[in-house]
C-alpha cells in the first residue's frame, strides 16, 4: 500500500515537473548534468598523456580536425574535407567561422602551431607524437586550406589527426602542461569551457555558446571522478550523480532490472586475447613443462595444433555469460561485427573439449603439459576472473594449468621482457580497423620500423608480414580493407593469438536520460540527452 | 581439554585434597562459561581446518573440479552433476563451504605458524637482551621500538611488495611484524625474574649462562608470553586476511578467507551476499574465539588479577 502511495506521489511530482518545464519553456534553462567517470585525467593539457580519461575530457574542451562518430567512423570536425592530392600530400579544407573560447578565429596557422607543439611537451608519459610523427611538413596555403606532407604513404592520416586536439596559435611558445592545469592555456574550440579543475576530484564545465556544432543540452556539467566501482554505482542509485561510466559487470544483472536506472551499451573496440611466447620455441620456457614437471625440449605452443586445441577448449559463451555478465561479445577476430575490416565468415572457434583433447594427442601431448597463465588483476574488467575461467577450461582438456594474476605495472613490465609463456591482455583498437592490431601485435617485432610495438609474444610470420605491409601502403579504403581482411584471416588461422571477446562499454543513467553509446570508451556530456 | 579436564579437578579435590597446578589452572579457566565455549569453538575450528581435505565436499583449489557455469549460485542450490552447495558458490563456481574450510586451513596455518616462529625468535632475543643488558639490550630494544613505531600493515605491505605473493612470503612478513612484541614481553618478564632468589641461587652454582637463561629463567617467563602469543595468533590471522583482501596474499586460485571476502565484496550491491558473508562470519568467529581464550588465559595466569 505504501508503495502505491509513493508511486502516486512520484507521478504527481513528475507531472508537476513536466508542467513546470513546459511553463518555463526554452530549451535547457539552467540545465545541469552531474556525471561520474571511473578514472581521473592526469592533466588538462590535451597533448600531455595519451590516455582514455584525458582524451575523453579533452573532447569537451578542444576540437580536432577529424571527429569520430559513435561507431568510430571519421566525420568532419574542424576540417570540412580531406583528400590526398598525391601519395604523400594531403589537402585539408578547414571549417570557416569557428572561434576559440577566447574569441580568436580558428585558421590554418593553428594547425601548424599544434603540430609543432606536440613534440615539445615535456615529461609526457604517453606522447601524441605517434599521431603526428608521420607529418613531415605543414604548408599553409590560405587561412582555410592546409597541406600536410607525410614521410611515407599514410592512408590512416585522417584517423591519426582525430586524436590531436587543436590549440590556438595565440598561446605562444610552448605553453606548459602546468599552465593548462591552471586553466591559463585551456582554450579550445570544443562545446565546453573549463571553469574549475580539482585534480582527482572534479572538473566544472560551462557550455560554450559559440560552439560551431550541435549545441549541447546541458548548460553546466559537474564532471566528477569516482574510481571505486561500487561507490560510483551507489552514487547513481542515491541520486548524487545523473550519469556514470563503466558500470561494473558485477552489478549488471541487478541494474538491468532496476527501474531507477537506464543503461546504454555499445560493443567496444577493446578485445581480450591470450598471447603465447615464441622466443623460446627450442625449449627453456619459463612456465611450460611436461606433465610430470620435466623440462620440454621444444615449446608445445609453437605447434599450431596445440594453439588451436587451446582455443577450442575455451567456452567463450560461458565466459561472456557467467564472468562478464553479458558485457562482452564472444569473438574470433580483432573487431566486432559492423566494424571496418570485420571478416564475416570468421566465427568464434566452437567450444569442443573432446576435439581439443584429440588435437593435443595428435600433436604429441596425450597427457597434456603444465602451463601457467598470467594476467593482470587490476587493469581490465574482470581480468583475473577471466584467466581463472580459462584455467578451468584448459584443465578440463588435460593441461595442468596454474593461474597467476599480478598488478598491472609489474605484469606489463614482465610481459614486455618476454618473462611469461602464456598471458592475457586486452587491446583497444584506436583506429577502429584491423591495420592497428595487425601492425602493433601481429607483425614481427621491428622497433626501427615501428612494427610489432606491442607484439610481446614475438610472434613472427614473414608471409603474414608481407600482406600487412602491402595493406598499409594502399590509400584506397576499399582495396585496403580487402587486404586487411586477408591478413586477419591468416593471423587467426595460424592462431597467432587466441581472441576471446570484445568488451561492451556500459553507461548508467537516470531513467529520464539517454546516451549515444560509443564504441570507443569516451564519455561525452554533450552526447547525453533527456529521454524523449 | 575442557571436556576431558572438567572432572579432573573434582577428582583431585576429593582424592588428595590438594590440587596439582595444572588442575587448578583448568578449574580456574572453566570458571567463565564464555571461555569454555570459545575453547570448544577453537578446537572445532582447528579440527575442521586439519580435516578439510577429508570432510569438505569439494577441493576448491583444484580447477578441474570447478565449473564457472555453477558460478554465484545461492546457498542450497544444486550443481549440474547433483552436488548441493550449502553455502552457495563464488564467481568461479567454487563451493563456499569447501572454500571456507580450506580458507581456515590457510588462515590458521599462517596465523599459528608465523606466531610460533615469531615467538621463538622474539622470546630468545628478549631473554638475551634482558640477561646481557648494556649495549646489547639497548640496541635490541631500539630496534624493537623502531619496529613498533610502524603500523604492522604498512610493514607487511612493504615486505610483500618486495618479495611478491605467496603463503610463505606472507608468513615471513608476519614474523617480521610480530617478533618485536614477543621480544618486548619476554624482556620485561625476564627483567623481573632475573632479580629473584632462585636466579641468584642458580648463578651461585656456576651454571653455564645458556642454562641459566633457557632452563631457569624461560619457564618462569612463559605465562605472559603464552597470553601475548594467543593474541598475536588472532592478529596474524587478521593481518593475513587483510593482505589477501588487498590482493597481496595468497594466489587467486587458492583463496584464504580474506580473498574469499574480497571476491564477494563487489557482489554485495547485487544482493549476492553469501560470497562475502559466510567467510566473514568464519573469520569473525575464529578471531573472537581465539581472543576470548587469550583473555581468559591472561586472567588465569596473572596472579595480580586473583581475587
Amino acid at each position: 500500500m505504501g508503495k502505491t502511495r509513493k508511486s502516486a506521489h512520484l507521478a504527481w511530482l513528475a507531472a508537476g515537473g513536466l508542467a513546470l518545464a513546459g511553463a518555463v519553456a526554452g530549451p535547457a534553462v539552467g540545465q545541469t548534468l552531474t556525471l561520474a567517470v571511473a578514472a581521473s585525467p592526469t592533466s588538462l593539457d590535451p597533448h600531455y598523456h595519451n590516455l582514455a580519461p584525458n582524451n575523453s575530457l579533452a573532447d569537451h574542451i578542444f576540437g580536432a580536425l577529424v571527429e569520430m562518430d559513435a561507431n568510430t567512423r571519421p566525420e568532419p570536425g574542424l576540417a570540412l574535407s580531406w583528400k590526398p592530392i598525391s601519395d604523400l600530400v594531403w589537402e585539408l579544407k578547414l571549417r570557416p567561422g569557428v572561434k576559440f573560447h577566447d574569441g580568436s578565429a580558428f585558421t590554418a596557422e593553428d594547425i601548424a602551431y599544434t603540430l609543432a607543439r606536440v613534440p615539445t611537451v615535456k615529461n609526457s608519459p604517453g606522447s601524441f607524437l605517434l599521431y603526428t610523427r608521420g607529418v613531415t611538413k605543414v604548408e599553409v596555403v590560405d587561412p582555410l586550406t592546409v597541406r600536410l606532407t607525410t614521410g611515407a604513404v599514410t592512408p590512416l592520416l585522417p584517423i591519426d589527426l582525430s586524436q590531436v586536439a587543436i590549440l590556438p596559435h595565440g598561446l605562444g611558445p610552448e605553453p606548459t602542461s602546468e599552465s593548462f592545469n591552471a586553466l591559463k592555456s585551456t582554450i579550445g574550440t570544443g562545446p565546453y569551457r573549463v571553469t574549475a579543475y580539482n585534480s582527482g576530484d572534479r572538473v566544472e564545465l560551462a557550455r560554450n555558446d559559440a560552439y560551431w556544432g550541435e549545441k549541447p543540452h546541458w548548460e553546466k556539467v559537474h564532471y566528477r571522478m569516482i574510481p571505486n566501482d561500487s561507490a560510483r554505482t551507489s552514487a547513481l542509485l542515491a541520486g548524487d550523480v545523473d550519469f556514470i561510466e563503466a558500470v561494473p559487470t558485477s552489478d549488471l544483472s541487478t541494474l538491468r532490472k532496476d527501474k531507477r536506472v537506464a543503461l546504454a551499451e555499445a560493443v567496444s573496440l577493446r578485445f581480450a586475447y591470450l598471447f603465447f611466447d615464441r622466443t623460446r620455441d627450442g625449449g627453456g620456457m619459463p612456465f611450460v613443462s611436461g606433465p610430470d614437471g620435466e623440462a620440454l625440449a621444444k615449446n608445445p605452443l609453437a605447434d599450431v595444433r596445440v594453439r588451436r586445441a587451446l582455443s577450442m577448449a575455451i567456452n567463450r559463451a560461458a565466459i561472456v555469460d557467467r564472468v562478464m555478465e553479458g558485457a562482452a561479445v564472444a569473438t574470433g577476430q580483432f573487431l566486432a561485427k559492423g566494424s571496418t575490416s570485420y571478416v564475416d565468415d570468421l566465427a568464434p572457434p566452437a567450444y569442443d573439449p573432446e576435439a581439443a583433447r584429440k588435437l593435443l594427442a595428435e600433436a604429441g601431448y596425450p597427457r597434456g603439459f603444465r602451463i601457467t597463465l598470467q594476467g593482470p588483476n587490476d587493469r581490465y574488467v574482470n581480468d583475473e576472473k577471466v584467466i581463472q575461467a580459462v584455467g578451468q577450461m584448459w584443465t578440463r582438456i588435460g593441461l595442468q594449468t596454474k593461474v597467476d594474476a599480478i598488478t598491472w605495472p609489474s605484469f606489463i613490465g614482465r610481459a614486455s621482457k618476454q618473462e611469461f609463456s602464456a598471458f592475457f591482455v586486452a587491446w583497444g583498437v584506436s583506429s577502429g580497423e584491423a591495420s592497428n592490431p595487425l601492425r602493433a601485435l601481429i607483425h614481427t617485432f621491428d622497433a626501427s620500423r615501428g612494427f610489432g610495438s606491442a607484439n610481446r609474444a614475438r610472434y613472427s610470420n614473414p608471409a603474414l608480414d608481407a600482406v600487412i605491409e602491402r595493406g598499409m601502403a594502399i590509400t584506397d579504403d576499399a582495396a585496403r580493407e580487402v587486404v586487411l581482411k586477408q591478413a586477419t584471416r591468416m593471423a587467426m588461422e595460424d592462431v597467432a593469438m587466441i581472441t576471446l571477446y570484445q568488451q561492451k562499454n556500459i553507461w548508467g543513467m537516470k531513467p529520464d536520460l539517454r546516451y549515444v553509446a560509443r564504441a570507443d570508451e569516451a564519455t561525452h556530456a554533450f552526447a547525453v540527452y533527456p529521454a524523449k | 581439554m575442557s571436556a576431558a579436564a572438567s572432572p579432573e579437578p573434582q577428582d583431585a579435590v576429593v582424592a588428595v585434597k590438594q590440587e596439582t597446578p595444572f588442575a587448578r589452572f583448568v578449574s580456574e579457566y572453566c570458571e567463565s562459561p564464555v571461555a569454555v565455549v570459545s575453547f570448544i569453538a577453537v578446537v572445532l575450528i582447528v579440527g575442521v581446518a586439519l580435516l578439510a581435505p577429508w570432510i569438505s565436499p569439494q577441493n576448491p583449489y583444484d580447477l578441474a573440479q570447478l565449473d564457472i557455469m555453477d558460478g554465484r549460485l545461492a546457498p542450497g542450490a544444486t550443481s549440474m552433476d547433483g552436488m548441493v552447495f550449502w553455502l552457495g558458490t563464488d564467481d568461479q563456481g567454487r563451493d563456499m563451504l569447501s572454500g571456507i574450510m580450506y580458507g581456515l586451513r590457510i588462515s590458521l596455518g599462517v596465523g599459528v605458524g608465523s606466531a610460533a616462529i615469531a615467538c621463538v625468535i622474539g622470546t630468545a632475543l628478549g631473554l638475551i637482551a634482558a640477561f646481557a643488558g648494556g649495549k646489547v639490550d639497548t640496541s635490541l630494544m631500539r630496534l624493537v621500538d623502531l619496529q613498533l613505531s610502524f603500523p604492522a600493515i604498512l610493514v607487511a605491505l612493504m615486505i610483500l611488495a618486495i618479495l611478491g605473493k605467496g603463503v610463505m612470503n606472507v608468513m615471513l612478513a608476519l614474523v617480521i611484524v610480530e617478533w618485536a612484541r614477543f621480544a618486548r614481553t619476554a624482556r620485561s618478564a625476564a627483567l623481573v625474574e632475573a632479580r629473584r632468589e632462585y636466579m641468584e641461587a642458580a648463578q651461585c652454582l656456576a651454571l653455564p649462562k645458556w642454562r641459566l637463561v633457557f632452563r631457569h629463567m624461560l619457564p618462569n617467563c612463559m605465562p605472559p608470553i603464552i597470553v601475548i602469543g594467543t593474541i598475536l595468533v588472532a592478529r596474524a590471522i587478521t593481518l593475513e586476511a587483510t593482505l589477501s583482501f588487498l590482493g597481496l596474499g595468497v594466489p587467486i586460485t587458492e583463496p584464504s578467507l580474506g580473498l574469499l571476502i574480497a571476491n564477494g565484496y563487489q557482489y554485495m550491491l547485487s544482493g549476492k551476499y553469501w560470497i562475502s558473508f559466510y567467510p566473514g562470519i568464519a573469520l569473525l568467529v575464529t578471531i573472537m574465539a581465539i581472543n576470548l581464550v587469550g583473555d581468559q588465559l591472561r586472567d588465569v595466569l596473572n596472579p595480580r588479577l586473583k581475587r
Side-chain angles (χ1 to χ4, degrees):
Chain A
M1 215 193 46
K3 208 171 193 176
T4 338
R5 198 185 305 144
K6 195 173 168 192
S7 55
H9 186 65
L10 275 178
W12 180 85
L13 263 184
L18 277 178
L20 206 70
V24 180
V29 173
Q31 301 271 31
T32 302
L33 179 75
T34 307
L35 64 83
V37 295
S40 301
T42 53
S43 171
L44 285 184
D45 180 348
H47 303 145
Y48 174 70
H49 194 177
N50 183 15
L51 193 73
N54 291 28
N55 300 346
S56 191
L57 176 60
D59 290 342
H60 291 83
I61 310 161
F62 305 96
L65 287 168
V66 180
E67 307 269 333
M68 290 291 209
D69 72 2
N71 299 313
T72 48
R73 293 177 194 267
E75 59 180 20
L78 292 175
L80 280 177
S81 68
W82 50 89
K83 62 171 195 296
I85 52 174
S86 74
D87 267 356
L88 297 179
V89 182
W90 289 71
E91 187 172 273
L92 290 82
K93 291 280 181 200
L94 305 183
R95 190 179 289 276
V98 175
K99 293 239 183 305
F100 283 99
H101 295 162
D102 62 354
S104 59
F106 160 72
T107 66
E109 283 299 328
D110 302 317
I111 314 287
Y113 171 77
T114 300
L115 292 179
R117 196 244 166 182
V118 170
T120 66
V121 178
K122 292 203 174 61
N123 306 324
S124 168
S127 178
F128 283 77
L129 204 55
L130 88 138
Y131 302 120
T132 61
R133 189 166 19 212
V135 179
T136 51
K137 201 173 107 200
V138 185
E139 193 186 337
V140 177
V141 180
D142 63 54
L144 293 177
T145 312
V146 66
R147 280 197 190 130
L148 303 178
T149 308
T150 55
V153 184
T154 317
L156 295 181
L157 186 68
I159 291 172
D160 284 348
L161 290 177
S162 75
Q163 307 290 323
V164 183
I166 302 297
L167 299 176
H169 68 280
L171 287 181
E174 297 179 23
T176 58
S177 300
E178 290 72 30
S179 81
F180 279 91
N181 294 339
L183 310 185
K184 277 199 207 104
S185 306
T186 329
I187 295 164
T189 58
Y192 282 98
R193 287 177 291 115
V194 189
T195 52
Y197 171 56
N198 191 356
S199 174
D201 174 42
R202 60 173 65 218
V203 182
E204 301 293 344
L205 300 170
R207 187 169 57 198
N208 165 23
D209 287 316
Y211 181 56
W212 57 267
E214 187 198 350
K215 194 161 287 176
H217 181 78
W218 313 101
E219 199 173 37
K220 283 204 165 70
V221 175
H222 304 302
Y223 194 98
R224 292 179 54 188
M225 297 121 202
I226 307 183
N228 183 292
D229 281 343
S230 7
R232 203 166 53 251
T233 314
S234 308
L236 177 65
L237 290 174
D240 294 343
V241 301
D242 306 318
F243 184 88
I244 61 169
E245 69 169 14
V247 174
T249 56
S250 52
D251 297 335
L252 269 184
S253 55
T254 334
L255 291 183
R256 279 192 215 280
K257 285 179 249 150
D258 196 323
K259 291 218 165 43
R260 293 172 294 170
V261 176
L263 299 174
E265 35 194 283
V267 180
S268 79
L269 296 171
R270 193 180 285 283
F271 68 97
Y273 63 96
L274 306 175
F275 230 173
F276 302 116
D277 181 64
R278 300 298 302 280
T279 58
R280 303 176 189 87
D281 283 357
M285 297 76 66
F287 291 104
V288 174
S289 58
D292 304 310
E294 72 275 18
L296 291 172
K298 61 182 178 27
N299 187 355
L301 300 169
D303 188 327
V304 67
R305 288 171 298 184
V306 173
R307 298 199 298 272
R308 199 165 289 150
L310 291 183
S311 182
M312 287 159 72
I314 297 172
N315 186 349
R316 289 170 174 79
I319 292 181
V320 164
D321 185 43
R322 308 299 306 193
V323 183
M324 298 299 288
E325 296 263 9
V329 178
T331 194
Q333 55 185 303
F334 309 116
L335 290 146
K337 198 171 182 147
S339 315
T340 318
S341 60
Y342 170 81
V343 186
D344 285 315
D345 56 340
L346 204 58
Y351 168 57
D352 191 345
E354 272 317 302
R357 232 178 242 276
K358 277 200 199 100
L359 208 53
L360 267 188
E362 193 189 306
Y365 303 96
R367 290 172 57 222
F369 48 88
R370 290 187 187 187
I371 186 165
T372 305
L373 175 63
Q374 260 112 349
N377 60 8
D378 52 3
R379 176 69 178 85
Y380 305 112
V381 179
N382 294 334
D383 39 17
E384 68 175 1
K385 293 182 190 164
V386 172
I387 58 173
Q388 281 188 75
V390 171
Q392 282 185 19
M393 291 160 182
W394 283 357
T395 311
R396 292 256 152 72
I397 63 158
L399 297 191
Q400 299 169 44
T401 313
K402 278 196 358 199
V403 167
D404 186 20
I406 54 179
T407 60
W408 172 255
S410 131
F411 168 81
I412 200 63
R414 292 178 62 193
S416 304
K417 283 186 265 172
Q418 283 72 49
E419 287 185 22
F420 301 143
S421 284
F423 55 98
F424 168 93
V425 218
W427 178 264
V429 187
S430 57
S431 66
E433 44 76 82
S435 73
N436 163 288
L438 283 168
R439 184 163 76 161
L441 303 175
I442 302 292
H443 194 288
T444 306
F445 175 72
D446 184 349
S448 61
R449 293 164 66 209
F451 282 122
S453 55
N455 183 350
R456 300 192 174 92
R458 297 291 184 262
Y459 170 83
S460 175
N461 180 345
L464 184 48
D465 290 352
V467 179
I468 296 172
E469 284 172 43
R470 185 152 56 85
M472 299 295 305
I474 305 176
T475 329
D476 179 63
D477 288 342
R480 187 174 65 248
E481 188 175 355
V482 172
V483 180
L484 292 181
K485 282 183 178 177
Q486 184 199 349
T488 304
R489 189 186 301 277
M490 282 175 74
M492 294 302 140
E493 273 166 7
D494 195 33
V495 202
M497 57 170 53
I498 295 182
T499 53
L500 297 174
Y501 53 82
Q502 272 102 21
Q503 286 181 15
K504 276 187 187 170
N505 298 326
I506 303 187
W507 292 266
M509 62 211 82
K510 291 186 170 164
D512 54 354
L513 298 178
R514 72 187 169 85
Y515 183 62
V516 184
R518 295 179 62 89
D520 59 17
E521 289 154 29
T523 296
H524 290 156
F526 48 87
V528 181
Y529 301 94
K532 297 232 165 69
Chain B
M1 191 157 86
S2 69
S6 49
E8 206 179 291
Q10 285 156 12
D11 287 353
V13 171
V14 174
V16 212
K17 298 258 176 206
Q18 183 150 26
E19 295 172 312
T20 63
F22 179 70
R24 190 167 66 225
F25 167 77
V26 170
S27 75
E28 277 177 14
Y29 183 90
C30 292
E31 275 171 19
S32 158
V34 175
V36 175
V37 172
S38 304
F39 184 77
I40 295 170
V42 169
V43 171
L44 279 177
I45 290 168
V46 170
V48 166
L50 287 178
L51 298 176
W54 293 278
I55 58 175
S56 75
Q58 180 193 63
N59 178 356
Y61 297 165
D62 181 2
L63 284 178
Q65 293 190 24
L66 309 182
D67 191 334
I68 53 164
M69 298 314 283
D70 291 333
R72 298 190 302 274
L73 293 178
T78 318
S79 80
M80 278 172 291
D81 44 8
M83 190 180 137
V84 180
F85 300 115
W86 292 110
L87 299 183
T89 58
D90 72 358
D91 51 350
Q92 291 293 322
R94 190 177 282 120
D95 176 38
M96 289 312 297
L97 181 62
S98 314
I100 290 171
M101 287 176 172
Y102 273 76
L104 277 173
R105 221 171 138 80
I106 296 185
S107 295
L108 282 175
V110 169
V112 175
S114 65
I117 298 170
C119 177
V120 171
I121 296 172
T123 307
L125 289 177
L127 289 180
I128 290 168
F131 195 77
K135 275 186 192 147
V136 179
D137 185 22
T138 318
S139 50
L140 273 172
M141 283 308 113
R142 290 304 79 75
L143 191 61
V144 167
D145 285 341
L146 187 74
Q147 177 90 62
L148 293 180
S149 63
F150 283 105
I153 183 72
L154 191 71
V155 178
L157 281 175
M158 281 193 313
I159 295 165
L160 285 176
I162 297 165
L163 296 177
K165 277 195 215 182
V167 176
M168 292 321 275
N169 289 346
V170 173
M171 291 239 317
L172 183 62
L174 293 179
V175 168
I176 294 175
V177 166
E178 286 187 345
W179 74 272
R181 288 177 193 277
F182 282 106
R184 179 51 58 81
T185 311
R187 174 179 172 271
S188 58
L191 281 180
V192 175
E193 295 300 323
R195 299 203 183 80
R196 296 274 162 91
E197 282 91 353
Y198 76 87
M199 282 301 288
E200 280 171 23
Q203 267 164 334
C204 291
L205 291 175
L207 290 172
K209 277 184 183 159
W210 66 267
R211 206 173 151 160
L212 274 178
V213 174
F214 290 105
R215 290 297 297 279
H216 294 262
M217 207 145 116
L218 177 60
N220 290 294
C221 297
M222 277 322 275
I225 293 172
I226 291 172
V227 172
I228 198 95
T230 57
I231 288 163
L232 286 186
V233 166
R235 229 173 72 102
I237 293 174
T238 324
L239 259 179
E240 186 277 328
T242 313
L243 291 170
S244 293
F245 184 86
L246 295 174
L248 280 164
V250 292
I252 46 170
T253 47
E254 295 174 14
S256 67
L257 292 177
L259 190 54
L260 285 175
I261 296 171
N263 282 342
Y265 177 64
Q266 49 182 312
Y267 292 104
M268 289 300 266
L269 201 69
S270 310
K272 300 188 175 74
Y273 66 91
W274 59 88
I275 310 178
S276 275
F277 182 72
Y278 292 119
I281 293 287
L283 188 64
L284 181 82
V285 170
T286 308
I287 291 170
M288 217 169 80
I290 296 177
N291 271 332
L292 287 173
V293 169
D295 278 0
Q296 182 71 357
L297 281 182
R298 184 196 60 209
D299 292 352
V300 173
L301 292 175
N302 189 343
R304 255 166 271 150
L305 287 175
K306 288 258 167 63
R307 288 134 300 186

